[in-house]
Amino acid sequence: MANNAGRRTQGERDAITVEIGYALCSAAFAAAVLFGAVAGPAFLFDLPDTVKGPLLRTGAGLAVGVFVVRVVSVLVRFRRGPQPSQPGRTNPDS
Protein backbone atom coordinates (compact mmCIF):
# COMPACT_ATOMS: atom_id res chain seq x y z
CA MET A 1 0.00 0.00 0.00
CA ALA A 2 1.54 3.29 -1.12
CA ASN A 3 1.75 6.16 1.33
CA ASN A 4 0.58 9.44 -0.28
CA ALA A 5 1.18 11.55 2.83
CA GLY A 6 2.91 14.79 1.88
CA ARG A 7 2.30 14.38 -1.85
CA ARG A 8 0.40 17.04 -3.75
CA THR A 9 -2.29 16.33 -6.29
CA GLN A 10 -2.02 17.62 -9.84
CA GLY A 11 -4.66 20.22 -9.04
CA GLU A 12 -2.65 21.50 -6.10
CA ARG A 13 0.52 21.69 -8.20
CA ASP A 14 -1.36 23.56 -10.93
CA ALA A 15 -2.77 26.00 -8.37
CA ILE A 16 0.72 26.68 -7.02
CA THR A 17 2.07 27.22 -10.54
CA VAL A 18 -0.72 29.66 -11.38
CA GLU A 19 -0.24 31.52 -8.11
CA ILE A 20 3.52 31.85 -8.67
CA GLY A 21 2.90 33.13 -12.19
CA TYR A 22 0.36 35.64 -10.88
CA ALA A 23 2.74 36.78 -8.15
CA LEU A 24 5.59 37.32 -10.62
CA CYS A 25 3.47 39.08 -13.26
CA SER A 26 1.66 41.37 -10.84
CA ALA A 27 4.95 42.19 -9.09
CA ALA A 28 6.65 42.97 -12.40
CA PHE A 29 3.77 45.25 -13.38
CA ALA A 30 3.80 47.08 -10.04
CA ALA A 31 7.58 47.47 -10.19
CA ALA A 32 7.46 48.80 -13.76
CA VAL A 33 4.77 51.34 -12.89
CA LEU A 34 6.69 52.54 -9.86
CA PHE A 35 9.97 52.74 -11.79
CA GLY A 36 8.24 54.71 -14.54
CA ALA A 37 6.71 57.11 -12.05
CA VAL A 38 9.98 57.77 -10.21
CA ALA A 39 12.56 57.50 -13.00
CA GLY A 40 10.32 58.56 -15.90
CA PRO A 41 11.21 62.25 -15.65
CA ALA A 42 14.88 61.34 -16.13
CA PHE A 43 13.98 59.94 -19.56
CA LEU A 44 11.38 62.53 -20.54
CA PHE A 45 13.17 65.73 -19.61
CA ASP A 46 16.66 67.03 -20.17
CA LEU A 47 17.77 66.92 -16.55
CA PRO A 48 21.31 67.41 -15.28
CA ASP A 49 23.27 64.25 -14.45
CA THR A 50 23.24 65.19 -10.76
CA VAL A 51 19.46 64.73 -10.80
CA LYS A 52 19.15 61.97 -13.40
CA GLY A 53 21.43 59.50 -11.60
CA PRO A 54 19.68 59.63 -8.23
CA LEU A 55 16.26 59.39 -9.90
CA LEU A 56 17.28 56.25 -11.77
CA ARG A 57 18.89 54.65 -8.72
CA THR A 58 15.93 55.50 -6.48
CA GLY A 59 13.46 54.21 -9.06
CA ALA A 60 15.37 50.97 -9.50
CA GLY A 61 15.73 50.43 -5.78
CA LEU A 62 12.07 51.07 -5.08
CA ALA A 63 11.04 48.86 -7.99
CA VAL A 64 13.10 45.96 -6.65
CA GLY A 65 11.65 46.45 -3.19
CA VAL A 66 8.07 46.56 -4.46
CA PHE A 67 8.70 43.47 -6.59
CA VAL A 68 9.95 41.44 -3.63
CA VAL A 69 7.23 42.63 -1.26
CA ARG A 70 4.50 41.88 -3.82
CA VAL A 71 5.76 38.37 -4.57
CA VAL A 72 6.11 37.50 -0.89
CA SER A 73 2.71 38.93 0.06
CA VAL A 74 0.89 37.06 -2.72
CA LEU A 75 2.58 33.75 -1.93
CA VAL A 76 2.08 34.08 1.84
CA ARG A 77 -1.59 34.88 1.31
CA PHE A 78 -1.92 31.81 -0.94
CA ARG A 79 -0.23 29.58 1.64
CA ARG A 80 -2.82 30.55 4.27
CA GLY A 81 -5.54 28.92 2.21
CA PRO A 82 -8.82 30.15 0.78
CA GLN A 83 -10.91 32.70 2.61
CA PRO A 84 -14.48 31.88 3.57
CA SER A 85 -17.07 32.96 1.04
CA GLN A 86 -18.96 34.77 3.79
CA PRO A 87 -16.47 36.43 6.15
CA GLY A 88 -17.41 36.21 9.80
CA ARG A 89 -19.54 33.11 9.38
CA THR A 90 -17.99 29.85 10.48
CA ASN A 91 -21.00 27.59 10.35
CA PRO A 92 -22.32 26.76 6.86
CA ASP A 93 -25.89 26.65 8.26
CA SER A 94 -25.77 30.19 9.67
Side-chain angles (χ1 to χ4, degrees), residues 42-68:
F43 296 112
L44 294 175
F45 305 112
D46 187 25
L47 299 174
D49 289 337
T50 57
V51 175
K52 190 180 285 191
L55 274 178
L56 293 174
R57 283 191 296 277
T58 302
L62 288 173
V64 168
V66 164
F67 182 86
V68 170

Side-chain angles (χ1 to χ4, degrees), residues 1 11 15 23 25 35 37-39 47 57 67 69-71 74 76 86-87 90-91 93:
M1 184 170 187
C25 289
F35 179 78
V38 173
L47 299 174
R57 283 191 296 277
F67 182 86
V69 168
R70 178 68 182 160
V71 168
V74 168
V76 166
Q86 297 176 335
T90 57
N91 186 353
D93 295 332

Side-chain angles (χ1 to χ4, degrees), residues 11-36:
E12 290 170 330
R13 288 192 305 265
D14 290 346
I16 291 168
T17 301
V18 168
E19 198 66 20
I20 290 170
Y22 169 72
L24 292 174
C25 289
S26 67
F29 178 76
V33 168
L34 182 64
F35 179 78

